[in-house]
Amino acid sequence: ARSRAQAGAAPDRNDEWMFYQALVGVWPAEPLESAVPAAAPDGLAVAFDGVGGAIGATVLAAVAPGGRFLVHGLASGALTDTSAAPAGVVVHGIEALAAIGAQARELTIAALEAAAAGRLRAVIGQTYPLAEAAAAHEAIEHRDALGKTLLTVR
């Protein structure tokens, strides 16, 4: 049983990959207000918020003291209001992404070195022939794609 968990909002198809990464995939197929506590009764250790709005606020409220909440998007059209973060939760707002951008060269070199050493790998969930590029884009747009989607040219 997990006492502390990490969570991210993801379509059901991504659940297997997220569990493999020691994450608990939560998607509003059931009410998020009950799904998150059921998955992590002692609260979330880490939450990645790419949705924002009401969904982001619900997940933020479930982060345990000492946990981290990282904002990296606003798919709902609004950022999560982090002013009501639970006491003891460390919030990294979307502005933290600017720092990543400023270090892009160094981070890219480190990632390439880690990949070359076998410590980092991309998850290729599906491939499509170049002639089916529209279908690949549709799968990504409808959130049916797992990991990275590649177009093949041969």
Side-chain angles (χ1 to χ4, degrees), residues 44-63:
L44 301 171
V46 176
F48 299 93
D49 176 24
V51 178
I55 291 175
T58 298
V59 174
L60 174 58
V63 177

Side-chain angles (χ1 to χ4, degrees), residues 19-113:
F19 276 111
Y20 177 76
Q21 292 297 316
L23 301 177
V24 177
V26 178
W27 186 248
E30 63 180 284
L32 199 58
E33 293 80 1
S34 60
V36 173
D42 294 334
L44 301 171
V46 176
F48 299 93
D49 176 24
V51 178
I55 291 175
T58 298
V59 174
L60 174 58
V63 177
R68 298 184 185 282
F69 184 80
L70 301 97
V71 178
H72 65 88
L74 58 148
S76 69
L79 286 171
T80 298
D81 178 5
T82 58
S83 65
V89 171
V90 177
V91 174
H92 298 279
I94 200 161
E95 65 279 355
L97 296 178
I100 294 171
Q103 300 173 43
R105 183 174 178 2
E106 294 82 9
L107 293 171
T108 300
I109 291 169
L112 291 172
E113 288 173 349

